Amino acid sequence: MIWDIKLSPQVSSLDYLSASVSGSTVTVQGEEYDLSLLEDGDILPPDAINNEFFPEPISRVGNTISLTLLMPIRRGAAESARFPAPVVMEADGVVPVPNGESVDEQN
């Protein structure tokens, strides 16, 4: 399974984003979401998951699942957190997420 993950930064007091993928399952903030029933061409609307960390539909095309994850950041976060690059995961593991703390908090 290939995961195409877009990170959507939003200034928030929510905890940092913690996410990982394993097979056709994505784990966000410790909660697992089994997407194995998504077939080629399927689109799952965000309200079907009912989790604020999934602000946009999840889709599957071929062997690729595409999704967007809300990424809480603080005011004054580094540019890498404000404009994160998309993440493509071809193996199971932790989704690399930029540090969303403000630059002042990091010092």
Side-chain angles (χ1 to χ4, degrees):
M1 186 65 56
I2 298 171
W3 292 85
D4 179 14
I5 302 170
K6 292 178 183 60
L7 300 172
S8 178
Q10 180 176 349
V11 174
S12 172
S13 62
L14 292 173
D15 288 337
Y16 64 92
L17 172 64
S18 170
S20 63
V21 296
S22 178
S24 58
T25 299
V26 60
T27 302
V28 178
Q29 303 306 90
E31 191 169 341
E32 290 186 356
Y33 299 90
D34 180 0
L35 302 176
S36 62
L37 296 180
L38 275 180
E39 295 182 3
D40 186 19
D42 284 351
I43 297 174
L44 185 64
D47 59 346
I49 293 183
N50 196 27
N51 182 310
E52 63 191 326
F53 285 93
F54 295 93
E56 296 182 9
I58 298 171
S59 63
R60 180 172 179 176
V61 176
N63 199 33
T64 301
I65 294 179
S66 299
L67 57 85
T68 299
L69 292 174
L70 177 80
M71 187 182 83
I73 62 171
R74 305 293 186 257
R75 290 196 191 285
E79 187 169 330
S80 62
R82 290 181 288 137
F83 303 99
V87 177
V88 175
M89 306 238 351
E90 296 183 6
D92 295 351
V94 174
V95 177
V97 177
N99 184 338
E101 292 180 356
S102 72
V103 174
D104 292 338
E105 290 176 35
Q106 294 176 28
N107 296 326

